[in-house]
């Protein structure tokens, strides 16, 4: 490993214990220790690292900010070089004439949002961790976020990628143009591949003009089943909200312990709803949404200022840390079901929770059926841990029975690898393994992720 450090500047390569320990975990609470940490500053640095690893049988894990929920950025084998992109964090080009930008993978999502907002544009994908997560990590996981219900996920905005293959060769996929059907779509293949196929070094993203107006409102419900039904009704009412976020009672109770949010104990569920677009159009849509909420006895409050809007979003973004605060050992999974089955999924998860004797808190992007399911447990209780693992599998089986998917935006990583064949047939997995081998014949890039061992 000293040879690699000699090939690079001393400041961008470390084998010091304090460094490798700091980069051995992510938000999934899984842990591992890399042999070295490198901080590339250019594509040439990445090429050098990949060529060294390829020639000397080292493994590579590309890493963003470590906000991943499935252990995708955690070393699981020895001789791993962890490649952190925090120094490749430049916005290289803002091309407003063609509505796109070029960024390096270490750019923080919120930083890009702020730069674009100052110029009258926006980039729709906005994960809850947007103030920390990187665009490169978002691309690797095909991240979504609250606005995905209307605008789609990361894959819908990636136009072009520069990426380094395991042997150090550089490829460019996609185009600057809005359309291209020349050959296979390698760009969409790399998006969501969790760093297992190539290491992304530049990203061209589509951007949009900022909408004329935004209405933010929250609807509170005393009936725990009402919110799921409202979601289905709103999405079937010929309008598409910009966001349609859900929080159940267990999540709200956790947030109330985490910070003062002024919500009564009688509130069972909450929907955070945003509409955007033409001012007159969203006024009409607001009336429709309010009518649906009131039909289910929803109590509606509007954010009449940017400050109040941010306060409401702070409640939603506090959900995950608040649940971690009361249950550091919680199991956090995201599932997706058809929009009209959200209410069914929530009801059945509650039944599974009671049967197992373990609390399950749910929140998430109900507008596109993407729920974050949090199994709250004492990680030091072995019996509870076994029950929780069975409960996790039961929830996945329920999800698939509702024609859903076991991951909407968190990916597979380590924590879901053993469940992937519940959703994908063996032939599908064989094809995927074949693709992995074509890109990475030595299994250098992020080994042990996605596929069951």
């Amino acid at each position: 490993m000293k040879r690699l450090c000699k090939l690079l500047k001393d400041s961008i390569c470390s084998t010091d214990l304090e460094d490798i320990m700091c980069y051995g975990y992510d938000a999934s609470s899984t842990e591992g220790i890399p042999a070295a940490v490198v901080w590339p500053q250019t594509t040439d640095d990445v090429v050098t690292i990949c060529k060294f690893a390829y020639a000397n049988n080292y493994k590579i894990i590309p890493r963003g900010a470590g906000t991943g929920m499935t252990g995708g950025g955690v070393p699981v084998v020895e001789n791993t070089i962890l490649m952190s992109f925090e120094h490749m964090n430049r916005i290289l080009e803002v091309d407003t004439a063609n509505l796109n930008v070029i960024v390096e993978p270490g750019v923080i999502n919120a930083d890009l949002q702020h730069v674009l907002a100052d110029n009258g544009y926006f980039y729709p994908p906005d994960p809850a961790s947007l103030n920390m997560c990187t665009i490169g990590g978002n691309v690797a996981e095909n991240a979504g976020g609250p606005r995905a219900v209307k605008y789609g996920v990361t894959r819908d905005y990636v136009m072009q990628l520069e990426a380094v293959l395991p042997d150090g060769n550089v490829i460019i996929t996609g185009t600057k143009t809005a359309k291209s059907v020349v050959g296979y779509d390698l760009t969409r293949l790399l998006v969501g591949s969790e760093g297992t196929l190539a290491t992304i070094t530049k990203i061209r993203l589509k951007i949009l003009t900022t909408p004329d107006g935004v209405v933010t409102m929250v609807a509170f419900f005393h009936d725990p089943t009402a919110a799921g039904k409202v979601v289905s009704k709103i999405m079937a009412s010929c309008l598409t909200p910009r966001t349609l976020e859900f929080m159940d009672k267990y999540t709200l109770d956790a947030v109330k312990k985490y910070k003062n949010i002024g919500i009564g104990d009688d509130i069972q569920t909450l929907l955070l709803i945003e509409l955007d677009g033409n001012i007159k159009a969203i006024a009409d849509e607001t009336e429709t949404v309010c009518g649906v909420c009131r039909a289910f006895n929803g109590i509606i409050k509007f954010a009449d200022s940017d400050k109040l809007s941010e306060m409401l979003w702070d409640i939603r973004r506090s959900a995950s840390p608040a649940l971690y605060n009361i249950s550091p050992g919680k199991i956090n999974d995201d599932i997706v079901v058809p929009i009209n089955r959200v209410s069914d999924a929530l009801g059945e998860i509650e039944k599974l929770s009671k049967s197992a004797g373990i609390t399950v808190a749910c929140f998430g992007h109900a507008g596109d059926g993407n729920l974050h399911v949090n199994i709250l447990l004492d990680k030091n209780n072995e019996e509870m841990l076994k029950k929780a693992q069975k409960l996790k599998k039961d929830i996945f089986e329920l999800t698939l029975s509702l024609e859903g998917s076991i991951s909407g935006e968190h990916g597979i990583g380590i924590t879901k690898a053993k469940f992937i064949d519940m959703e994908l047939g063996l032939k599908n997995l064989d094809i995927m393994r074949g693709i992995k081998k074509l890109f990475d014949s030595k299994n250098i890039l992020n080994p042990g992720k996605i596929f069951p061992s």
Side-chain angles (χ1 to χ4, degrees):
M1 197 59 70
K2 290 181 180 179
R3 283 184 293 148
L4 175 61
C5 291
K6 286 181 180 179
L7 291 171
L8 301 165
K9 298 175 185 176
D10 290 340
S11 61
I12 64 172
C13 178
S14 176
T15 56
D16 294 345
L17 182 62
E18 57 266 33
D19 286 328
I20 61 176
M21 290 288 287
C22 287
Y23 288 85
Y25 62 92
D26 67 6
S28 69
S29 298
T30 53
E31 298 179 2
I33 304 296
V37 179
V38 291
W39 296 271
Q41 297 176 349
T42 65
T43 299
D44 286 344
D45 288 339
V46 177
V47 169
T48 298
I49 295 162
C50 288
K51 285 183 175 179
F52 175 86
Y54 192 82
N56 295 281
N57 295 315
Y58 281 96
K59 312 299 184 184
I60 295 173
I61 296 182
R63 176 186 169 99
T67 59
M69 294 289 190
T70 59
V74 177
V76 294
V77 297
E78 294 180 348
N79 296 327
T80 297
I81 300 167
L82 195 143
M83 195 186 305
S84 174
F85 281 94
E86 60 203 274
H87 293 169
M88 289 180 68
N89 60 356
R90 296 176 299 166
I91 299 173
L92 301 172
E93 180 183 344
V94 178
D95 182 354
T96 56
N98 291 297
L99 291 177
N100 64 69
V101 298
I102 301 176
V103 302
E104 291 182 322
V107 170
I108 301 296
N109 186 297
D111 291 346
L112 176 61
Q113 305 276 5
H114 293 150
V115 168
L116 292 175
D118 290 343
N119 292 280
Y121 299 89
F122 82 117
Y123 171 65
D126 60 335
S129 58
L130 82 167
N131 290 316
M132 297 173 284
C133 65
T134 63
I135 297 296
N138 293 169
V139 172
E141 299 291 342
N142 190 27
R147 294 196 292 234
V149 60
K150 180 172 185 176
Y151 290 106
V153 295
T154 301
R155 180 177 283 128
D156 301 310
Y157 294 87
V158 178
M159 302 173 67
Q160 193 173 46
L161 295 172
E162 177 188 88
V164 181
L165 297 173
D167 62 2
N169 279 302
V170 179
I171 61 171
I172 295 176
T173 72
T175 67
K176 184 177 180 177
T177 56
K179 294 179 179 179
S180 174
V181 287
V182 181
Y184 296 131
D185 193 342
L186 296 181
T187 305
R188 290 179 72 85
L189 176 61
L190 291 180
V191 179
S193 62
E194 302 188 36
T196 62
L197 301 180
T199 302
I200 295 164
T201 50
K202 287 188 180 71
I203 306 157
R204 187 187 296 274
L205 299 168
K206 179 172 68 175
I207 59 174
L208 304 177
T209 54
T210 302
D212 292 338
V214 178
V215 172
T216 304
M217 68 182 86
V218 65
F220 302 100
F221 300 92
H222 299 293
D223 178 356
T225 68
K229 296 173 182 175
V230 167
V231 168
S232 184
K233 290 284 187 182
I234 289 175
M235 296 307 296
S237 64
C238 299
L239 64 89
T240 305
R242 164 159 135 157
T243 62
L244 185 44
E245 296 289 291
F246 165 83
M247 296 172 69
D248 72 2
K249 179 175 173 56
Y250 303 115
T251 305
L252 288 171
D253 287 346
V255 174
K256 282 188 281 188
K257 291 177 182 177
Y258 189 63
K259 57 176 60 182
N260 181 21
I261 59 174
I263 295 176
D265 293 336
D266 57 333
I267 299 301
Q268 298 290 313
T269 53
L270 169 156
L271 289 178
L272 177 58
I273 306 164
E274 276 191 345
L275 302 162
D276 71 356
N278 174 272
I279 298 293
K280 184 179 185 308
I282 58 175
D284 295 339
E285 290 178 353
T286 299
E287 286 299 314
T288 299
V289 169
C290 289
V292 173
C293 292
R294 289 179 181 127
F296 289 86
N297 300 312
I299 302 167
I300 301 165
K301 293 188 180 296
F302 288 92
D304 53 10
S305 67
D306 290 343
K307 183 178 179 180
L308 184 52
S309 176
E310 190 52 42
M311 285 175 60
L312 294 178
W313 276 108
D314 186 47
I315 293 172
R316 166 61 184 87
R317 292 184 181 122
S318 297
S320 191
L323 288 167
Y324 181 83
N325 186 54
I326 65 170
S327 178
K330 73 183 178 76
I331 297 173
N332 180 358
D333 281 308
D334 77 312
I335 61 169
V336 194
V337 296
I339 299 166
N340 66 340
R341 305 307 296 274
V342 168
S343 184
D344 296 335
L346 292 169
E348 292 301 315
I349 289 170
E350 179 71 8
K351 290 178 184 177
L352 290 172
S353 168
K354 288 180 178 177
S355 177
I358 300 175
T359 300
V360 178
C362 295
F363 66 91
H365 321 306
D368 56 17
N370 188 188
L371 302 174
H372 297 294
V373 178
N374 294 261
I375 301 173
L376 309 184
L377 72 157
D378 177 358
K379 62 182 177 181
N380 297 315
N381 185 325
E382 289 295 329
E383 183 180 351
M384 179 180 280
L385 192 57
K386 288 179 181 177
K387 286 184 178 180
Q389 288 296 331
K390 181 182 182 303
L391 177 57
K392 174 174 177 165
K393 185 176 181 182
D394 290 343
I395 290 171
F396 288 165
E397 288 177 344
L398 165 67
T399 300
L400 295 172
S401 75
L402 296 174
E403 300 180 279
S405 174
I406 65 172
S407 183
E409 57 186 13
H410 288 175
I412 297 299
I414 303 168
T415 62
K416 290 186 178 181
K418 67 180 179 181
F419 302 104
I420 193 172
D421 59 358
M422 293 174 64
E423 180 168 339
L424 300 179
L426 294 179
K427 188 62 179 176
N428 297 54
L429 286 171
D430 284 344
I431 292 170
M432 291 180 184
R433 285 191 177 98
I435 292 170
K436 165 71 170 170
K437 193 169 183 179
L438 280 172
F439 274 85
D440 185 14
S441 60
K442 287 189 173 184
N443 195 28
I444 284 173
L445 283 179
N446 214 1
K449 311 299 165 58
I450 299 179
F451 303 108
S453 58

